[in-house]
Amino acid sequence: MTRLDDPRMLRALAHPVRARILDELTAQGSLRAADVAAELDIPANQASFHLRQLAKYGLVEEDAGAARDRRDRVWRATSPEGYDVDMQDLESAPGGRAASRVYRSHTAARAHALVDAAHGGDRTPGIHRSISQVALRLDREEARQLTTELNEVVDRWAARTRGRDAHRQTYSAYLMVQPYPDGLESED
């Protein structure tokens, strides 16, 4: 994983369209702005703008080897395996606290939307949904080992399925390993 250490990169990732574009590039591999636009159902000029913003902060780059000619712009994620974000380091950098607040807010909203969709009533035929929650007794090192093993499984699947395939669609696998938070048992 690439270490994300610039608050500006964090702010770029906080934008929901940019985060989704990066997800598609990670899942599918290299794409043109028109491909991104079709996948996200947004105008091509909007996809191009967001791709350029992601490139400005080093999160995507042109993939000249995938282009048909010199005018053809194809983009790829610079870190298809994802990013390692150390919030403590980032927050100590100039502008880091503000970038962290924006990123955390948008990331939390995205996580809520994913959970809401997973628990929602849409049961489109041919779509698989799975929600797993389990309580484990772990020490810190065991929690890290579990995280590493889960990430290795996801990485193998990502490598196996990366690319454009009309029979596949992009799924989100949201993994969280953390101590059980206080206060979840209270009703608001």
Side-chain angles (χ1 to χ4, degrees):
M1 288 190 164
T2 299
R3 188 165 181 80
L4 202 136
D5 56 7
D6 183 341
R8 293 173 300 172
M9 295 170 86
L10 197 63
R11 287 182 85 101
L13 277 177
H15 193 285
V17 173
R18 292 182 198 144
R20 179 65 197 281
I21 288 172
L22 206 51
D23 285 348
E24 290 302 328
L25 289 170
T26 299
Q28 295 191 49
S30 298
L31 297 170
R32 291 168 180 79
D35 301 326
V36 170
E39 199 68 45
L40 275 61
D41 195 25
I42 60 175
N45 63 343
Q46 184 181 2
S48 291
F49 170 78
H50 287 299
L51 283 161
R52 287 191 309 275
Q53 290 300 305
L54 289 166
K56 178 178 174 180
Y57 297 107
L59 298 166
V60 303
E61 63 190 3
E62 286 192 55
D63 184 359
R68 293 181 291 242
D69 56 44
R70 291 176 51 190
R71 293 183 319 243
D72 190 26
R73 292 183 87 176
V74 182
W75 301 89
R76 68 176 167 219
T78 56
S79 183
E81 65 281 352
Y83 297 92
D84 178 27
V85 179
D86 183 334
M87 287 301 203
Q88 191 169 3
D89 276 356
L90 272 165
E91 288 176 351
S92 66
R97 286 199 190 281
S100 172
R101 276 192 303 276
V102 170
Y103 177 77
R104 288 175 194 246
S105 172
H106 287 275
T107 302
R110 193 169 190 221
H112 286 289
L114 288 169
V115 170
D116 288 347
H119 285 286
D122 179 16
R123 296 295 170 237
T124 305
I127 299 296
H128 174 77
R129 281 184 178 74
S130 172
I131 303 164
S132 300
Q133 193 278 325
V134 62
L136 304 169
R137 298 285 295 172
L138 306 170
D139 64 28
R140 183 177 178 180
E141 188 51 42
E142 290 168 332
R144 287 180 189 211
Q145 184 179 353
L146 173 62
T147 300
T148 299
E149 290 177 22
L150 290 170
N151 285 333
E152 288 169 354
V153 169
V154 172
D155 289 347
R156 282 194 306 273
W157 274 93
R160 184 185 331 170
T161 61
R162 185 168 290 121
R164 293 186 60 95
D165 181 340
H167 302 305
R168 288 190 171 120
Q169 69 182 72
T170 303
Y171 276 72
S172 176
Y174 197 88
L175 305 172
M176 201 177 332
V177 176
Q178 67 176 358
Y180 206 92
D182 292 335
L184 284 184
E185 58 280 342
S186 66
E187 287 199 32
D188 295 333

